[in-house]
Amino acid sequence: MAARGCGGVWRRARQRGAGGPGPGPFPRGQRAVACNAKGGAVPAGKSGLAPWIPVVGLEIHAQISSNSKLFSGSQVQFAAPPNSLVSFFDASLPGTLPVLNKRCVEAAVMTGLALNCSINKKSLFDRKHYFYADLPAGYQITQQRVPIAVNGSLSYSLCIDNKMSQMVTKTVRIKQIQLEQDSGKSLHDDTRSQTLVDLNRAGVGLMEVVMEPDMCCGEEAAAAVRELQLVLQTLGSSQAVMAEGQLRVDANVSVHHPGEPYGVRTEVKNINSIRFLAKAVDYEIQRQIEELENGGTILNETRAFDSKLGCTVPMRDKEGKQDYRFMPEPNLPPLILYDAKSLPANMNHQQVINIDWIYERLPDLPSVKREKLVEQYGILPEHSFTLLNEDGLAEFFESVVKQTQMKPRKVIGWILNDLLSYLKQHSLTVKESPVSSCLLADLLNLLEKKEISSSAAKQVLAELWKGEGKTPLEIVKEQKLELLQDQKELEQICQAVIDGQENEVIMMVPG
Amino acid sequence: QKVSVEVLDHLEHLALVDFRDSEGVERLQKAIQFADQLHEVNTDGVEPMDSVLEDRWCLYLREDDVTEGNCTKDLMENAREKVEEYFVAPPGNIPLPKLEERDTFLQGS
């Protein structure tokens, strides 16, 4: 759904009372942060202190949806026996070399094009060095000097003032997209004071999407990431499921006064859902404001989000600032991409990646799909957001519309109010719905033909949820919900009612 | 110009090398001097070279097929310690102790 948007005043962080420690700078229940829908600072109000402008940038790592890894032929799969999806190269055994996976490059090009980036026809690979048990080579192959795509943008929408009816579109600039390797997984066993390392994930292809600090609060960050997630899923370049670690977000947060330079930023990691992203960013903004207003300073540090406490805590870094000693990856020459104009005549077709060919085959992006739904079916923009936000819901809606005479504008109500709320209540996906589009269409047809009333239809639907295989017509007959169509029968009933209430009728008639 | 003790200490932390003695440091100095000769060449407006093969060095693009993996046994053979097919490592990076706290000849410098 389009996020509830920013609207309201930046509140000065409340002073902590004498009683009891709190998990954060503000009491639970109070709305965390808010910023002007137009982005940026709002006058502080009574406190008389200068307003704060929060600045939020994001670094998003999306796991590429491919069969094999970025530089080796081992399989990419979630949840497999430890170290079973690891090649000698992934384990960094001597004598092994990286071999680039074509599909991973295509995924990055698709994503770059969908995000309006310039695709670099020549990009380079580099080594980023640091020591960690899940990085067997002691370096990660990435694209630090010249990444595959730069200078793009992503538009997303927010609802202002908590009303779904007023939506505002914002844009975040995409600094770059680069290809890089994922690391293995470390499982910390504190009881035995050891770390268990599984290299199944080591070497899986990642696209790092860097979003410029154009966002100003948790809700904007969350909405931008949600839209990126939908884009990636539509393209198929990443399944982008945060719960499975296929989409990881790090937030860079700072605050400053209007007219002054940007403040010191902190990096917030360990954010496991879009909801927590909004919370983490808002908490960090408020923490920084409180710290600075109390005369403190902000350290340029990495902090982890603690979802249980709803706050950020410093990540103890005993080693101080890292020096990654970037150097060109000596085993990989530049990655050259082509377009229709520069296509080489005498090269093996399989070895050529044509940017224009990929561009022509891009599917409709979410924003385009929404526009088409609104135009084709006359539904409201916010409806189109909800339709696209639930996997399979838009297709369900279109399927019902095809099978019924009821106008789409009326159908949408049944989809969003009745169907969706039921699914949510029972934590079901659209695919798991006990009521198929066919059944719902049958029901809506009965309603449209005035064979049943609206309230009767809701009753039938409640019965259909049980999934007992009955058709709407069968249920209507069973529960005798048919509307009476016979004029004579209706007159008889009315007459009987009037006869039975003679006194009331006599009182009514003169008046 | 000599390389300062701070830089040498920083290098030892970063790369986990041990310069061991003055001879090791001297060798480093000579290596830096040798490489510094590169600065004598004016490279203004010249694109850095990736390879002497220039554009004949083509990056091979592999098809996205699963061709490797499934060799847990071979991989675990070299592991000194393992727990149920996981490699075992210390709980976190063990950084080199600070200059004052470790036994290195650099301290004397």
Side-chain angles (χ1 to χ4, degrees), chain B residues 19 27 36 51 65-66 88 90:
Chain B
F19 290 108
R27 196 167 306 135
D36 275 345
S51 155
D65 300 316
V66 176
V88 179

Side-chain angles (χ1 to χ4, degrees), chain A residues 242 247-251 268-273 276-277 280 305:
Chain A
M242 273 182 96
L247 191 71
R248 285 167 249 157
V249 182
D250 299 332
V268 183
K269 290 171 112 73
N270 194 42
I271 299 166
N272 299 324
S273 74
F276 286 151
L277 169 61
F305 180 64

Side-chain angles (χ1 to χ4, degrees), chain A residues 96-296:
Chain A
T96 56
L97 292 170
V99 186
L100 184 56
N101 179 336
K102 186 183 182 197
R103 155 67 188 166
C104 292
V105 181
E106 290 167 343
V109 172
M110 264 199 288
T111 306
L113 291 170
L115 297 178
N116 304 308
C117 294
S118 306
I119 306 295
N120 283 326
K121 292 225 199 61
K122 177 176 170 183
S123 61
L124 306 171
F125 290 102
D126 304 292
R127 289 185 182 180
K128 177 179 180 182
H129 300 82
Y130 63 93
F131 289 115
Y132 206 63
D134 60 21
L135 195 70
Y139 60 85
Q140 174 201 36
I141 301 179
T142 177
Q143 293 189 300
Q144 191 255 354
R145 287 169 295 159
V146 186
I148 191 167
V150 291
N151 296 339
S153 65
L154 175 68
S155 294
Y156 59 96
S157 290
L158 292 175
C159 309
I160 50 177
D161 297 338
N162 276 354
K163 287 182 240 154
M164 270 301 255
S165 49
Q166 281 198 289
M167 301 189 71
V168 61
T169 303
K170 299 221 163 199
T171 304
V172 58
R173 289 168 298 157
I174 305 289
K175 177 160 189 259
Q176 65 189 56
I177 301 175
Q178 70 213 44
L179 280 167
E180 56 183 38
Q181 291 173 304
D182 206 346
S183 66
K185 262 224 196 113
S186 296
L187 302 170
H188 299 287
D189 181 0
D190 295 320
T191 48
R192 285 180 201 74
S193 203
Q194 63 189 13
T195 297
L196 301 180
V197 177
D198 173 14
L199 297 178
N200 283 349
R201 201 184 67 182
V204 171
L206 295 177
M207 293 177 286
E208 177 171 334
V209 179
V210 183
M211 290 185 178
E212 300 276 22
D214 296 340
M215 295 158 285
C216 70
C217 62
E219 284 168 322
E220 288 194 355
V225 170
R226 178 64 184 133
E227 189 66 11
L228 176 67
Q229 196 179 36
L230 287 173
V231 168
L232 293 171
Q233 289 168 347
T234 303
L235 294 173
S237 56
S238 171
Q239 288 163 321
V241 176
M242 273 182 96
E244 286 184 15
Q246 293 168 340
L247 191 71
R248 285 167 249 157
V249 182
D250 299 332
N252 294 311
V253 180
S254 72
V255 297
H256 65 278
H257 290 303
E260 288 182 11
Y262 278 18
V264 174
R265 72 163 191 269
T266 61
E267 185 186 20
V268 183
K269 290 171 112 73
N270 194 42
I271 299 166
N272 299 324
S273 74
I274 295 190
R275 229 183 87 237
F276 286 151
L277 169 61
K279 276 203 162 88
V281 166
D282 287 342
Y283 175 91
E284 183 58 18
I285 290 171
Q286 203 71 314
R287 183 193 75 86
Q288 290 193 11
I289 289 175
E290 193 183 59
E291 184 68 34
L292 292 170
E293 288 187 340
N294 288 339

Side-chain angles (χ1 to χ4, degrees), chain A residues 308-322:
Chain A
K308 286 202 193 98
L309 298 175
C311 64
T312 63
V313 293
M315 275 171 93
R316 280 170 292 113
D317 187 17
K318 294 176 264 188
E319 302 177 75
K321 202 149 190 284
Q322 288 278 16

Side-chain angles (χ1 to χ4, degrees), chain B residues 12-85:
Chain B
E12 289 199 338
H13 272 97
L14 280 181
L16 298 180
V17 298
D18 182 355
F19 290 108
R20 202 59 58 95
D21 54 22
S22 57
E23 203 188 311
V25 174
E26 189 53 35
R27 196 167 306 135
L28 176 71
Q29 295 278 170
K30 292 225 164 77
I32 296 172
Q33 268 177 280
F34 182 78
D36 275 345
Q37 291 177 98
L38 291 171
H39 290 141
E40 296 182 25
V41 181
N42 185 343
T43 57
D44 289 345
V46 179
E47 273 297 301
M49 173 184 276
D50 308 294
S51 155
V52 293
L53 299 174
E54 296 192 330
D55 56 5
R56 282 166 293 155
W57 189 24
C58 292
L59 181 52
Y60 178 76
L61 295 170
R62 181 177 57 85
E63 279 300 308
D64 186 24
D65 300 316
V66 176
T67 56
E68 300 177 280
N70 231 321
C71 51
T72 318
K73 195 153 162 287
D74 288 337
L75 290 174
M76 303 314 286
E77 246 179 342
N78 284 336
R80 190 185 63 168
E81 255 191 274
K82 61 181 174 200
V83 169
E84 285 174 33
E85 260 58 68

